[in-house]
mmCIF file of all heavy atoms in Angstrom:
data_model
loop_
_atom_site.group_PDB
_atom_site.id
_atom_site.type_symbol
_atom_site.label_atom_id
_atom_site.label_comp_id
_atom_site.label_asym_id
_atom_site.label_seq_id
_atom_site.Cartn_x
_atom_site.Cartn_y
_atom_site.Cartn_z
ATOM 1 N N ALA A 1 29.463 -41.880 -169.689
ATOM 2 C CA ALA A 1 28.578 -40.710 -169.694
ATOM 3 C C ALA A 1 29.304 -39.471 -170.208
ATOM 4 O O ALA A 1 28.752 -38.699 -171.007
ATOM 5 C CB ALA A 1 28.033 -40.461 -168.289
ATOM 6 N N VAL A 2 30.547 -39.276 -169.772
ATOM 7 C CA VAL A 2 31.312 -38.107 -170.210
ATOM 8 C C VAL A 2 31.678 -38.221 -171.686
ATOM 9 O O VAL A 2 31.538 -37.251 -172.449
ATOM 10 C CB VAL A 2 32.574 -37.939 -169.342
ATOM 11 C CG1 VAL A 2 33.525 -36.903 -169.947
ATOM 12 C CG2 VAL A 2 32.193 -37.535 -167.929
ATOM 13 N N LEU A 3 32.120 -39.400 -172.113
ATOM 14 C CA LEU A 3 32.491 -39.572 -173.518
ATOM 15 C C LEU A 3 31.290 -39.381 -174.434
ATOM 16 O O LEU A 3 31.406 -38.787 -175.520
ATOM 17 C CB LEU A 3 33.105 -40.956 -173.728
ATOM 18 C CG LEU A 3 34.481 -41.175 -173.073
ATOM 19 C CD1 LEU A 3 34.913 -42.622 -173.213
ATOM 20 C CD2 LEU A 3 35.533 -40.241 -173.679
ATOM 21 N N GLU A 4 30.131 -39.867 -174.026
ATOM 22 C CA GLU A 4 28.923 -39.683 -174.836
ATOM 23 C C GLU A 4 28.497 -38.219 -174.880
ATOM 24 O O GLU A 4 27.835 -37.788 -175.829
ATOM 25 C CB GLU A 4 27.792 -40.546 -174.285
ATOM 26 C CG GLU A 4 27.996 -42.041 -174.521
ATOM 27 C CD GLU A 4 26.866 -42.887 -173.950
ATOM 28 O OE1 GLU A 4 26.119 -42.367 -173.093
ATOM 29 O OE2 GLU A 4 26.754 -44.063 -174.355
ATOM 30 N N ALA A 5 28.871 -37.455 -173.852
ATOM 31 C CA ALA A 5 28.495 -36.036 -173.806
ATOM 32 C C ALA A 5 29.433 -35.147 -174.611
ATOM 33 O O ALA A 5 29.083 -34.016 -174.946
ATOM 34 C CB ALA A 5 28.470 -35.559 -172.350
ATOM 35 N N MET A 6 30.610 -35.654 -174.947
ATOM 36 C CA MET A 6 31.595 -34.826 -175.636
ATOM 37 C C MET A 6 31.198 -34.572 -177.092
ATOM 38 O O MET A 6 30.600 -35.423 -177.746
ATOM 39 C CB MET A 6 32.976 -35.483 -175.572
ATOM 40 C CG MET A 6 33.557 -35.509 -174.162
ATOM 41 S SD MET A 6 35.237 -36.142 -174.092
ATOM 42 C CE MET A 6 36.133 -34.850 -174.959
ATOM 43 N N ASN A 7 31.563 -33.389 -177.556
ATOM 44 C CA ASN A 7 31.225 -32.980 -178.922
ATOM 45 C C ASN A 7 32.360 -33.363 -179.876
ATOM 46 O O ASN A 7 33.210 -32.537 -180.224
ATOM 47 C CB ASN A 7 30.975 -31.472 -178.980
ATOM 48 C CG ASN A 7 29.770 -31.057 -178.178
ATOM 49 O OD1 ASN A 7 28.762 -31.761 -178.147
ATOM 50 N ND2 ASN A 7 29.854 -29.905 -177.516
ATOM 51 N N PHE A 8 32.371 -34.604 -180.313
ATOM 52 C CA PHE A 8 33.384 -35.012 -181.277
ATOM 53 C C PHE A 8 32.996 -34.507 -182.660
ATOM 54 O O PHE A 8 31.872 -34.720 -183.114
ATOM 55 C CB PHE A 8 33.523 -36.535 -181.315
ATOM 56 C CG PHE A 8 34.059 -37.136 -180.046
ATOM 57 C CD1 PHE A 8 33.413 -38.190 -179.428
ATOM 58 C CD2 PHE A 8 35.205 -36.635 -179.464
ATOM 59 C CE1 PHE A 8 33.905 -38.747 -178.266
ATOM 60 C CE2 PHE A 8 35.714 -37.177 -178.293
ATOM 61 C CZ PHE A 8 35.063 -38.241 -177.686
ATOM 62 N N PRO A 9 33.895 -33.827 -183.346
ATOM 63 C CA PRO A 9 33.562 -33.256 -184.655
ATOM 64 C C PRO A 9 33.480 -34.319 -185.748
ATOM 65 O O PRO A 9 34.064 -35.404 -185.636
ATOM 66 C CB PRO A 9 34.731 -32.305 -184.925
ATOM 67 C CG PRO A 9 35.875 -32.921 -184.170
ATOM 68 C CD PRO A 9 35.269 -33.523 -182.932
ATOM 69 N N ALA A 10 32.747 -33.990 -186.784
ATOM 70 C CA ALA A 10 32.715 -34.855 -187.971
ATOM 71 C C ALA A 10 34.010 -34.653 -188.745
ATOM 72 O O ALA A 10 34.642 -33.596 -188.677
ATOM 73 C CB ALA A 10 31.516 -34.490 -188.833
ATOM 74 N N TYR A 11 34.419 -35.658 -189.501
ATOM 75 C CA TYR A 11 35.678 -35.575 -190.220
ATOM 76 C C TYR A 11 35.678 -36.559 -191.380
ATOM 77 O O TYR A 11 34.823 -37.445 -191.479
ATOM 78 C CB TYR A 11 36.852 -35.873 -189.291
ATOM 79 C CG TYR A 11 36.734 -37.219 -188.605
ATOM 80 C CD1 TYR A 11 37.145 -38.391 -189.239
ATOM 81 C CD2 TYR A 11 36.182 -37.309 -187.334
ATOM 82 C CE1 TYR A 11 37.016 -39.618 -188.623
ATOM 83 C CE2 TYR A 11 36.055 -38.545 -186.704
ATOM 84 C CZ TYR A 11 36.467 -39.689 -187.356
ATOM 85 O OH TYR A 11 36.332 -40.904 -186.750
ATOM 86 N N LYS A 12 36.670 -36.410 -192.244
ATOM 87 C CA LYS A 12 36.779 -37.308 -193.384
ATOM 88 C C LYS A 12 37.640 -38.517 -193.048
ATOM 89 O O LYS A 12 38.354 -38.542 -192.042
ATOM 90 C CB LYS A 12 37.377 -36.554 -194.572
ATOM 91 C CG LYS A 12 38.765 -35.992 -194.333
ATOM 92 C CD LYS A 12 39.220 -35.160 -195.518
ATOM 93 C CE LYS A 12 40.598 -34.547 -195.287
ATOM 94 N NZ LYS A 12 41.041 -33.726 -196.431
ATOM 95 N N LYS A 13 37.565 -39.536 -193.888
ATOM 96 C CA LYS A 13 38.304 -40.776 -193.673
ATOM 97 C C LYS A 13 39.812 -40.502 -193.580
ATOM 98 O O LYS A 13 40.329 -39.622 -194.255
ATOM 99 C CB LYS A 13 38.026 -41.754 -194.812
ATOM 100 C CG LYS A 13 38.613 -43.135 -194.597
ATOM 101 C CD LYS A 13 38.216 -44.072 -195.737
ATOM 102 C CE LYS A 13 38.804 -45.463 -195.526
ATOM 103 N NZ LYS A 13 38.445 -46.393 -196.635
ATOM 104 N N GLY A 14 40.472 -41.270 -192.715
ATOM 105 C CA GLY A 14 41.906 -41.094 -192.531
ATOM 106 C C GLY A 14 42.245 -40.081 -191.463
ATOM 107 O O GLY A 14 43.382 -39.605 -191.374
ATOM 108 N N THR A 15 41.253 -39.750 -190.613
ATOM 109 C CA THR A 15 41.429 -38.754 -189.554
ATOM 110 C C THR A 15 41.295 -39.414 -188.186
ATOM 111 O O THR A 15 40.480 -40.311 -187.998
ATOM 112 C CB THR A 15 40.391 -37.625 -189.680
ATOM 113 O OG1 THR A 15 40.543 -36.978 -190.942
ATOM 114 C CG2 THR A 15 40.541 -36.598 -188.566
ATOM 115 N N ALA A 16 42.086 -38.955 -187.238
ATOM 116 C CA ALA A 16 41.970 -39.399 -185.849
ATOM 117 C C ALA A 16 41.783 -38.181 -184.944
ATOM 118 O O ALA A 16 42.300 -37.096 -185.243
ATOM 119 C CB ALA A 16 43.206 -40.175 -185.419
ATOM 120 N N ILE A 17 41.037 -38.362 -183.873
ATOM 121 C CA ILE A 17 40.871 -37.324 -182.864
ATOM 122 C C ILE A 17 41.796 -37.659 -181.698
ATOM 123 O O ILE A 17 41.800 -38.783 -181.198
ATOM 124 C CB ILE A 17 39.415 -37.256 -182.373
ATOM 125 C CG1 ILE A 17 38.489 -36.876 -183.527
ATOM 126 C CG2 ILE A 17 39.280 -36.261 -181.213
ATOM 127 C CD1 ILE A 17 37.020 -36.978 -183.198
ATOM 128 N N MET A 18 42.590 -36.684 -181.278
ATOM 129 C CA MET A 18 43.465 -36.871 -180.130
ATOM 130 C C MET A 18 43.007 -35.964 -178.997
ATOM 131 O O MET A 18 42.935 -34.741 -179.159
ATOM 132 C CB MET A 18 44.923 -36.584 -180.500
ATOM 133 C CG MET A 18 45.501 -37.596 -181.477
ATOM 134 S SD MET A 18 47.262 -37.301 -181.852
ATOM 135 C CE MET A 18 48.015 -37.616 -180.243
ATOM 136 N N LEU A 19 42.659 -36.572 -177.864
ATOM 137 C CA LEU A 19 42.189 -35.846 -176.688
ATOM 138 C C LEU A 19 43.362 -35.594 -175.754
ATOM 139 O O LEU A 19 43.988 -36.540 -175.268
ATOM 140 C CB LEU A 19 41.113 -36.639 -175.960
ATOM 141 C CG LEU A 19 39.856 -37.001 -176.747
ATOM 142 C CD1 LEU A 19 38.939 -37.870 -175.892
ATOM 143 C CD2 LEU A 19 39.128 -35.739 -177.207
ATOM 144 N N MET A 20 43.649 -34.341 -175.501
ATOM 145 C CA MET A 20 44.742 -33.995 -174.602
ATOM 146 C C MET A 20 44.227 -33.910 -173.170
ATOM 147 O O MET A 20 43.445 -33.026 -172.825
ATOM 148 C CB MET A 20 45.370 -32.654 -174.996
ATOM 149 C CG MET A 20 46.521 -32.247 -174.079
ATOM 150 S SD MET A 20 47.075 -30.535 -174.341
ATOM 151 C CE MET A 20 45.640 -29.616 -173.773
ATOM 152 N N ALA A 21 44.661 -34.851 -172.325
ATOM 153 C CA ALA A 21 44.365 -34.811 -170.900
ATOM 154 C C ALA A 21 45.576 -34.274 -170.151
ATOM 155 O O ALA A 21 46.661 -34.117 -170.731
ATOM 156 C CB ALA A 21 44.002 -36.207 -170.404
ATOM 157 N N HIS A 22 45.407 -33.985 -168.881
ATOM 158 C CA HIS A 22 46.511 -33.389 -168.131
ATOM 159 C C HIS A 22 47.584 -34.405 -167.791
ATOM 160 O O HIS A 22 48.766 -34.192 -168.042
ATOM 161 C CB HIS A 22 45.996 -32.732 -166.846
ATOM 162 C CG HIS A 22 47.020 -31.853 -166.193
ATOM 163 N ND1 HIS A 22 48.044 -32.345 -165.401
ATOM 164 C CD2 HIS A 22 47.192 -30.510 -166.237
ATOM 165 C CE1 HIS A 22 48.792 -31.349 -164.987
ATOM 166 N NE2 HIS A 22 48.308 -30.218 -165.473
ATOM 167 N N GLY A 23 47.183 -35.540 -167.224
ATOM 168 C CA GLY A 23 48.167 -36.508 -166.753
ATOM 169 C C GLY A 23 48.619 -36.185 -165.345
ATOM 170 O O GLY A 23 48.531 -35.039 -164.887
ATOM 171 N N THR A 24 49.083 -37.198 -164.637
ATOM 172 C CA THR A 24 49.484 -37.008 -163.243
ATOM 173 C C THR A 24 50.464 -38.097 -162.837
ATOM 174 O O THR A 24 50.387 -39.225 -163.337
ATOM 175 C CB THR A 24 48.246 -37.057 -162.319
ATOM 176 O OG1 THR A 24 48.666 -37.005 -160.947
ATOM 177 C CG2 THR A 24 47.443 -38.341 -162.530
ATOM 178 N N PRO A 25 51.400 -37.801 -161.930
ATOM 179 C CA PRO A 25 52.278 -38.847 -161.404
ATOM 180 C C PRO A 25 51.549 -39.769 -160.427
ATOM 181 O O PRO A 25 52.079 -40.805 -160.040
ATOM 182 C CB PRO A 25 53.391 -38.055 -160.694
ATOM 183 C CG PRO A 25 52.747 -36.754 -160.324
ATOM 184 C CD PRO A 25 51.782 -36.460 -161.437
ATOM 185 N N ASP A 26 50.343 -39.391 -160.054
ATOM 186 C CA ASP A 26 49.532 -40.195 -159.136
ATOM 187 C C ASP A 26 49.052 -41.467 -159.838
ATOM 188 O O ASP A 26 48.863 -41.473 -161.063
ATOM 189 C CB ASP A 26 48.327 -39.356 -158.696
ATOM 190 C CG ASP A 26 47.510 -40.021 -157.614
ATOM 191 O OD1 ASP A 26 47.920 -39.947 -156.447
ATOM 192 O OD2 ASP A 26 46.475 -40.626 -157.941
ATOM 193 N N PRO A 27 48.846 -42.569 -159.090
ATOM 194 C CA PRO A 27 48.336 -43.796 -159.715
ATOM 195 C C PRO A 27 47.006 -43.620 -160.447
ATOM 196 O O PRO A 27 46.659 -44.428 -161.309
ATOM 197 C CB PRO A 27 48.176 -44.756 -158.523
ATOM 198 C CG PRO A 27 49.200 -44.295 -157.537
ATOM 199 C CD PRO A 27 49.228 -42.799 -157.675
ATOM 200 N N SER A 28 46.277 -42.547 -160.143
ATOM 201 C CA SER A 28 45.016 -42.294 -160.838
ATOM 202 C C SER A 28 45.224 -42.023 -162.317
ATOM 203 O O SER A 28 44.249 -41.967 -163.079
ATOM 204 C CB SER A 28 44.280 -41.110 -160.196
ATOM 205 O OG SER A 28 45.074 -39.934 -160.278
ATOM 206 N N ASN A 29 46.470 -41.868 -162.753
ATOM 207 C CA ASN A 29 46.747 -41.741 -164.187
ATOM 208 C C ASN A 29 46.178 -42.937 -164.958
ATOM 209 O O ASN A 29 45.898 -42.847 -166.152
ATOM 210 C CB ASN A 29 48.259 -41.652 -164.418
ATOM 211 C CG ASN A 29 48.621 -41.213 -165.823
ATOM 212 O OD1 ASN A 29 48.691 -40.024 -166.113
ATOM 213 N ND2 ASN A 29 48.840 -42.169 -166.710
ATOM 214 N N ALA A 30 45.973 -44.068 -164.267
ATOM 215 C CA ALA A 30 45.403 -45.264 -164.894
ATOM 216 C C ALA A 30 43.992 -45.017 -165.422
ATOM 217 O O ALA A 30 43.508 -45.787 -166.271
ATOM 218 C CB ALA A 30 45.389 -46.425 -163.898
ATOM 219 N N TYR A 31 43.317 -43.966 -164.961
ATOM 220 C CA TYR A 31 41.990 -43.645 -165.495
ATOM 221 C C TYR A 31 42.040 -43.435 -167.003
ATOM 222 O O TYR A 31 41.068 -43.714 -167.704
ATOM 223 C CB TYR A 31 41.424 -42.384 -164.821
ATOM 224 C CG TYR A 31 40.513 -42.678 -163.659
ATOM 225 C CD1 TYR A 31 41.031 -42.985 -162.408
ATOM 226 C CD2 TYR A 31 39.127 -42.663 -163.805
ATOM 227 C CE1 TYR A 31 40.196 -43.246 -161.331
ATOM 228 C CE2 TYR A 31 38.284 -42.927 -162.739
ATOM 229 C CZ TYR A 31 38.830 -43.221 -161.509
ATOM 230 O OH TYR A 31 38.003 -43.500 -160.445
ATOM 231 N N TYR A 32 43.170 -42.948 -167.514
ATOM 232 C CA TYR A 32 43.255 -42.695 -168.946
ATOM 233 C C TYR A 32 43.228 -43.994 -169.744
ATOM 234 O O TYR A 32 42.702 -44.030 -170.859
ATOM 235 C CB TYR A 32 44.497 -41.862 -169.265
ATOM 236 C CG TYR A 32 44.511 -40.537 -168.537
ATOM 237 C CD1 TYR A 32 45.574 -40.180 -167.705
ATOM 238 C CD2 TYR A 32 43.438 -39.659 -168.646
ATOM 239 C CE1 TYR A 32 45.572 -38.975 -167.021
ATOM 240 C CE2 TYR A 32 43.430 -38.452 -167.966
ATOM 241 C CZ TYR A 32 44.498 -38.112 -167.152
ATOM 242 O OH TYR A 32 44.481 -36.923 -166.468
ATOM 243 N N SER A 33 43.765 -45.047 -169.174
ATOM 244 C CA SER A 33 43.661 -46.355 -169.823
ATOM 245 C C SER A 33 42.218 -46.835 -169.820
ATOM 246 O O SER A 33 41.750 -47.443 -170.795
ATOM 247 C CB SER A 33 44.561 -47.377 -169.108
ATOM 248 O OG SER A 33 45.920 -47.061 -169.286
ATOM 249 N N VAL A 34 41.513 -46.571 -168.725
ATOM 250 C CA VAL A 34 40.090 -46.934 -168.651
ATOM 251 C C VAL A 34 39.298 -46.160 -169.703
ATOM 252 O O VAL A 34 38.441 -46.717 -170.392
ATOM 253 C CB VAL A 34 39.520 -46.663 -167.247
ATOM 254 C CG1 VAL A 34 38.024 -46.947 -167.204
ATOM 255 C CG2 VAL A 34 40.248 -47.500 -166.199
ATOM 256 N N ILE A 35 39.604 -44.880 -169.841
ATOM 257 C CA ILE A 35 38.913 -44.054 -170.834
ATOM 258 C C ILE A 35 39.156 -44.588 -172.237
ATOM 259 O O ILE A 35 38.227 -44.698 -173.051
ATOM 260 C CB ILE A 35 39.376 -42.581 -170.725
ATOM 261 C CG1 ILE A 35 38.914 -41.982 -169.391
ATOM 262 C CG2 ILE A 35 38.828 -41.758 -171.885
ATOM 263 C CD1 ILE A 35 39.546 -40.639 -169.075
ATOM 264 N N GLN A 36 40.422 -44.938 -172.530
ATOM 265 C CA GLN A 36 40.732 -45.474 -173.861
ATOM 266 C C GLN A 36 40.005 -46.792 -174.107
ATOM 267 O O GLN A 36 39.506 -47.052 -175.208
ATOM 268 C CB GLN A 36 42.238 -45.676 -174.010
ATOM 269 C CG GLN A 36 42.688 -45.968 -175.432
ATOM 270 C CD GLN A 36 42.454 -44.785 -176.363
ATOM 271 O OE1 GLN A 36 43.022 -43.723 -176.187
ATOM 272 N NE2 GLN A 36 41.595 -44.967 -177.365
ATOM 273 N N ASN A 37 39.927 -47.625 -173.080
ATOM 274 C CA ASN A 37 39.216 -48.899 -173.222
ATOM 275 C C ASN A 37 37.725 -48.680 -173.466
ATOM 276 O O ASN A 37 37.101 -49.378 -174.279
ATOM 277 C CB ASN A 37 39.429 -49.757 -171.985
ATOM 278 C CG ASN A 37 38.850 -51.151 -172.147
ATOM 279 O OD1 ASN A 37 39.278 -51.916 -173.000
ATOM 280 N ND2 ASN A 37 37.852 -51.496 -171.341
#
């Protein structure tokens, strides 16, 4: 739901979007792997 709500910009071929998250030493950091999946 959150990823579908995000405003990803249009771009030309050969471009990648990098999302900067905060990160945490807590085990919940694994959420970022879920997001990538």
Side-chain angles (χ1 to χ4, degrees):
V2 169
L3 292 173
E4 289 179 342
M6 292 185 67
N7 295 322
F8 294 129
Y11 56 84
K12 60 185 178 181
K13 187 176 180 181
T15 300
I17 297 172
M18 293 183 66
L19 301 176
M20 180 190 67
H22 193 280
T24 174
D26 187 80
S28 61
N29 193 86
Y31 265 80
Y32 302 123
S33 293
V34 176
I35 293 169
Q36 191 66 63
N37 187 63

